[in-house]
Amino acid sequence: LNSIQGKSALVLGGSRGIGAAVARRLAAGGASVALTYVQGAAAAQAVVDDIEKAGGRAMAIQADSADEKAIEAAVTQTREAFGALDILVNNAGVLAIAPIEEFTTEDLDRTLAVNVRAAVIASRAAARIMGQGGRIIHIGSTNAERMPFAGGAVYAMSKSALQGLTQGLARDLGPKGITVNVVQPGPVDTDMNPASGPMAQGLIPMLAAGRYGHPEEVASFVAYLAGPEAGYITGASLMIDGGFAA
Ligand code: NDP
């Protein structure tokens, strides 16, 4: 059985959207779950309350992924609270869209800090304490493979960077029995990319599935990767995109 019962997990950016669904799904599988947020204290607490009401174990940690010390503290806090760190999900991400002529350096720096640098820092901190069977799962994007509209160059670059990071980390951590993968969703109905939002009209015709994904559909895939049955999957960029890039 693909059991994550009793495992300890940290989800960066777990207060809303895909990260919240991942936190809930890992907890439903029996993992203790720490989740970070930056602004959404009430939303993060609501996820924790839901998990606890269902009999699970969870905690929320305010930690801006742009802040190295905050990420490292979240990793330490997770291990101290739950006795280990078995599963790291690097989900926190930001999306800035603008024509390159107008793309600000501030947005460039923020995108790289949250989408890329944080994944390296969190993985480094996790690698120092994770044992055999450990799992590092990045949330990338189908835009690492296909960027069919203008204005998303920096976002796509940040998600392509996770592919290289994943391949290299798989080599570093394979000998320790830790797998590293990047899950690449297509359009998923969240605050970042609402299925009823202005981007959706252009995106839906590009989807083989003809619809947006639900956060729970990504979460179940992450839960599979987090379990022991996925032990031979590593260094992989895994599309879950409704055929967006097909
Ligand atoms: P949302 O914007 O809906 O949620 C983002 C989550 O990340 C929130 O919990 C937010 O916390 C947290 N977060 C944002 N910035 C930071 C930060 N600096 N430090 C810590 N936490 C932070 O995003 P989605 O759920 O849509 O996206 C999640 C991931 O999936 C991202 O990496 C995104 O790029 C990727 N993705 C999304 C797709 C989509 O269509 N939705 C498609 C492909 C990939 P807070 O509530 O405190 O702001």
Side-chain angles (χ1 to χ4, degrees), residues 55-82:
R57 208 167 159 212
M59 69 175 171
I61 303 169
Q62 185 180 29
D64 186 341
S65 279
D67 178 348
E68 174 184 5
K69 296 282 171 253
I71 296 170
E72 289 177 341
V75 168
T76 303
Q77 217 180 313
T78 304
R79 184 179 60 164
E80 284 174 2
F82 303 145

Side-chain angles (χ1 to χ4, degrees), residues 6-142:
K7 300 284 185 191
S8 162
L10 171 62
V11 181
L12 297 188
S15 56
R16 292 182 285 119
I18 293 170
V22 167
R24 287 191 167 97
R25 178 62 185 80
L26 294 177
S32 300
V33 181
L35 54 102
T36 70
Y37 64 95
V38 61
Q39 282 169 342
Q45 192 54 48
V47 176
V48 169
D49 290 347
D50 284 352
I51 290 171
E52 288 179 342
K53 254 181 245 156
R57 208 167 159 212
M59 69 175 171
I61 303 169
Q62 185 180 29
D64 186 341
S65 279
D67 178 348
E68 174 184 5
K69 296 282 171 253
I71 296 170
E72 289 177 341
V75 168
T76 303
Q77 217 180 313
T78 304
R79 184 179 60 164
E80 284 174 2
F82 303 145
L85 177 63
D86 304 301
I87 301 160
L88 170 68
V89 184
N90 289 316
N91 165 79
V94 291
L95 170 66
I97 300 270
I100 193 62
E101 297 89 338
E102 290 152 32
F103 204 92
T104 66
T105 304
E106 194 185 17
D107 278 346
L108 168 63
D109 290 345
R110 183 82 184 158
T111 302
L112 290 175
V114 177
N115 294 13
V116 181
R117 184 174 176 269
V120 179
I121 288 166
S123 299
R124 182 180 67 191
R128 290 174 177 154
I129 60 170
M130 252 183 195
Q132 186 77 24
R135 299 281 186 263
I136 296 176
I137 300 160
H138 308 296
I139 306 299
S141 167
T142 190

Side-chain angles (χ1 to χ4, degrees), residues 146-238:
R146 182 176 185 229
M147 190 62 230
F149 53 86
V154 170
Y155 180 74
M157 173 181 70
S158 76
K159 297 304 189 179
S160 298
L162 294 177
Q163 296 181 319
L165 177 66
T166 295
Q167 289 170 287
L169 285 180
R171 298 286 178 184
D172 274 48
L173 301 177
K176 286 184 169 180
I178 298 168
T179 69
V180 186
N181 293 290
V182 55
V183 168
Q184 303 189 143
V188 174
D189 185 17
T190 66
D191 295 339
M192 180 187 279
N193 184 10
S196 55
M199 280 205 304
Q201 278 187 332
L203 294 177
I204 288 170
M206 296 179 190
L207 285 152
R211 65 164 177 91
Y212 265 48
H214 306 297
E216 294 74 20
E217 291 176 302
V218 179
S220 59
F221 191 39
V222 171
Y224 167 69
L225 289 173
E229 287 188 328
Y232 201 53
I233 304 174
T234 194
S237 301
L238 300 161

